[in-house]
Amino acid sequence: MINSLQDKVKLANGVEIPGFGLGVFQVPDHETKDAVKEAILNGYRLIDTAQIYGNEKGTGLGIQEGLVAANLKREDLFVTSKVWNDHLSYDETIKAFEQSLADLGLDYLDLYLIHWPGHDAYKESWKAMEYLYQSGKIKAIGVSNFQVHHLEKLLSFATVKPVLNQIELHPKLTQNELREFCQKHQIAIQAWSPLMQGQILTNPTIQSIAEQHGRSVAQIVLRWGIQQDILVVSKSVKPERIKSNAQLFDFQLSDEDMKTISALNEDLRVGPNPDQFNFVM
Ligand code: NDP
């Protein structure tokens, strides 16, 4: 388990990834710079964006300013982006990647993901990802929103295996079967919408655990993820929340707390079901 915001976990290809980071989904481009900079200044070392978020330029500016303000180097930061559903041909994936890199103002990415599996449309895209990985432009490649059956197909033809699957995961959607499969295949799990986009924060069971610990509900939910060795990306644009959401390493949830929170699972999604979402190809 990670014990600080800078602690990293080794992915299957040897690349180290910080266990907790800032995501910028639904952050307008002009607000992204400040959120990213604030996060870096508060000790975050992982920033998660995607081409479809339309804020890679703002993310890039935030990275630039944050690194200078915190006196850090590019290698100190882990940056993820994702290729969107309508760019899953070989050539489009390469083009989308180059555009993301240009917009971010970076010369490599730490992690690049296929954002959604579509109707198994990822074969050509994965070949392009392998090419980009082998040419050194990406340190690690992975997927997002892949179910077991998508992963089985991908693993049947991949020369370079995905090292990470970024999925919706929170106390109402614990994803046990997918996690088991990924663990068996050395694919790290990274949770998106860990706070259920804010909806989990009014849950009375978690509120009561938060009161017992003298912590915010968000901290309890995020700690629940970290304490199970799940990588987590959470979003806030508010400086005080960016700061407090990362204060996860000076308290511990008991086994009973962990069980109580996990028992809230209802296989309930706040985002789309990957088997139904946006089949453009
Ligand atoms: P989160 O579960 O992280 O929740 C974010 C929401 O919770 C925002 O509305 C935020 O508001 C609010 N919030 C954050 N902290 C607190 C707090 N302490 N108290 C009260 N409210 C709080 O949702 P996201 O969907 O943004 O998921 C996190 C990241 O995961 C994304 O930003 C993105 O990087 C990634 N993601 C990936 C997807 C994929 O398909 N691969 C899909 C969705 C997300 P405010 O900003 O005002 O604080």
Side-chain angles (χ1 to χ4, degrees):
M1 194 188 75
I2 57 162
N3 290 305
S4 82
L5 201 46
Q6 277 93 41
D7 259 8
K8 294 173 181 171
V9 171
K10 208 173 258 192
L11 296 170
N13 70 339
V15 164
E16 294 193 318
I17 181 169
F20 184 77
L22 182 83
V24 293
F25 177 43
Q26 294 176 321
V27 183
D29 196 39
H30 66 276
E31 281 182 39
T32 312
K33 183 183 82 173
D34 287 347
V36 169
K37 183 178 172 187
E38 188 68 28
I40 295 171
L41 280 170
N42 277 289
Y44 286 64
R45 295 293 175 262
L46 184 149
I47 306 296
D48 181 271
T49 186
Q51 191 164 50
I52 196 69
Y53 300 169
N55 58 21
E56 286 178 312
K57 287 186 179 160
T59 301
L61 290 173
I63 289 172
Q64 261 177 37
E65 289 193 11
L67 290 179
V68 171
N71 198 20
L72 295 170
K73 298 193 281 291
R74 164 68 183 92
E75 316 79 272
D76 297 324
L77 208 61
F78 192 102
V79 183
T80 304
S81 192
K82 316 179 191 94
V83 56
W84 188 242
N85 307 1
D86 53 358
H87 296 310
L88 296 185
S89 73
Y90 187 94
D91 289 347
E92 285 285 318
T93 297
I94 306 259
K95 250 193 348 206
F97 170 76
E98 297 292 355
Q99 190 62 54
S100 284
L101 215 53
D103 286 347
L104 284 159
L106 300 176
D107 53 14
Y108 71 91
L109 278 187
D110 296 279
L111 179 65
Y112 198 47
L113 306 176
I114 294 182
H115 208 145
W116 291 88
H119 265 314
D120 293 331
Y122 42 81
K123 188 164 184 178
E124 288 306 306
S125 185
W126 191 255
K127 281 190 193 148
M129 306 272 284
E130 288 177 334
Y131 163 75
L132 291 166
Y133 173 69
Q134 277 154 351
S135 60
K137 292 182 172 188
I138 314 171
K139 304 284 180 202
I141 52 176
V143 294
S144 178
N145 301 303
F146 274 45
Q147 311 271 55
V148 169
H149 66 95
H150 300 120
L151 289 169
E152 280 170 340
K153 277 196 202 98
L154 178 58
L155 290 173
S156 73
F157 62 76
T159 312
V160 180
K161 292 193 173 144
V163 294
L164 183 144
N165 189 13
Q166 185 184 96
I167 56 172
E168 182 178 347
L169 197 159
H170 43 68
K172 295 277 182 188
L173 181 68
T174 53
Q175 301 264 29
N176 297 337
E177 189 201 342
L178 184 51
R179 278 160 67 186
E180 232 170 79
F181 180 91
C182 286
Q183 191 172 18
K184 208 163 103 198
H185 292 274
Q186 289 188 288
I187 300 169
I189 289 283
Q190 191 176 47
W192 63 254
S193 293
L195 302 176
M196 223 182 156
Q197 296 191 344
Q199 290 179 34
I200 199 71
L201 302 178
T202 50
N203 181 278
T205 305
I206 309 181
Q207 279 175 338
S208 141
I209 293 175
E211 267 165 38
Q212 286 160 35
H213 286 270
R215 290 288 171 159
S216 73
V217 181
Q219 286 170 333
I220 299 296
V221 176
L222 297 170
R223 174 79 199 185
W224 168 83
I226 300 281
Q227 220 169 292
Q228 297 174 82
D229 286 329
I230 294 166
L231 307 167
V232 177
V233 283
S234 189
K235 174 257 174 186
S236 179
V237 292
K238 302 205 165 52
E240 66 281 10
R241 290 180 181 169
I242 289 175
K243 192 172 174 185
S244 71
N245 286 355
Q247 289 166 349
L248 306 172
F249 305 102
D250 55 349
F251 73 103
Q252 219 176 343
L253 296 172
S254 67
D255 289 348
E256 201 189 324
D257 294 333
M258 293 294 289
K259 274 190 205 138
T260 305
I261 299 171
S262 299
L264 296 171
N265 181 46
E266 294 174 19
D267 294 334
L268 187 67
R269 294 177 187 275
V270 69
N273 183 324
D275 284 325
Q276 290 149 11
F277 180 61
N278 208 359
F279 291 142
V280 289
M281 297 182 80

